[in-house]
Amino acid sequence: MRKLGVLGLLLSFAIVPIGLSCSGGGGGIVSPPPPPPPPPPPPGGGNTCAAGTICMRGISFDPSELNVTKGAAITFQNNSGVVHDVVFDAPLDPAITNIGVINSGSTTIRTFGTSGTWNFHCTLHGGMVGKVIVP
């Protein structure tokens, strides 16, 4: 009787690990999927920007470089279908302030009264950069 008890105990240890085997998942850290890209511009929104205007596209400024005369007022226009912002890089001209969140369908104006190259970017979309050049 004692042999059967020991044999049963040994068999239970042999069977239990089979049910607890690894599923092969690796147990590593899983990265979340990347966010979806912004939608394309709305239909009929036009593919060209008016003179003196920097348009915000899905993930780019158009044009990405704009040459203007001293004292020019530049319009920043967002018709991309997503929210953007415009942050100017150092060195900063105190007369040119950052543009906070700008919703699609909105415009804002900045006047460039000082000579220089004014680089800017969108903090919400990496790689979205541009510059205004004032001779």
Side-chain angles (χ1 to χ4, degrees):
M1 186 69 122
R2 191 169 197 188
K3 288 182 184 181
L4 285 179
V6 171
L7 182 59
L9 183 63
L10 289 174
L11 282 175
S12 68
F13 283 122
I15 294 172
V16 170
I18 292 171
L20 297 176
S21 67
C22 246
S23 64
I29 297 173
V30 177
S31 299
N47 290 329
T48 59
C49 292
T53 300
I54 295 176
C55 294
M56 297 170 204
R57 303 293 186 202
I59 54 171
S60 65
F61 291 106
D62 178 25
S64 61
E65 183 176 307
L66 185 61
N67 292 288
V68 298
T69 59
K70 194 179 215 180
I74 304 300
T75 301
F76 289 84
Q77 179 180 353
N78 182 1
N79 282 331
S80 68
V82 296
V83 173
H84 292 286
D85 66 1
V86 178
V87 175
F88 290 92
D89 302 338
L92 299 174
D93 179 339
I96 304 171
T97 57
N98 293 331
I99 301 169
V101 172
I102 182 168
N103 294 312
S104 185
S106 298
T107 60
T108 191
I109 297 172
R110 293 295 182 266
T111 301
F112 292 81
T114 306
S115 295
T117 298
W118 311 109
N119 296 300
F120 56 90
H121 64 280
C122 175
T123 63
L124 305 173
H125 302 100
M128 189 172 172
V129 297
K131 68 174 93 173
V132 174
I133 301 169
V134 184

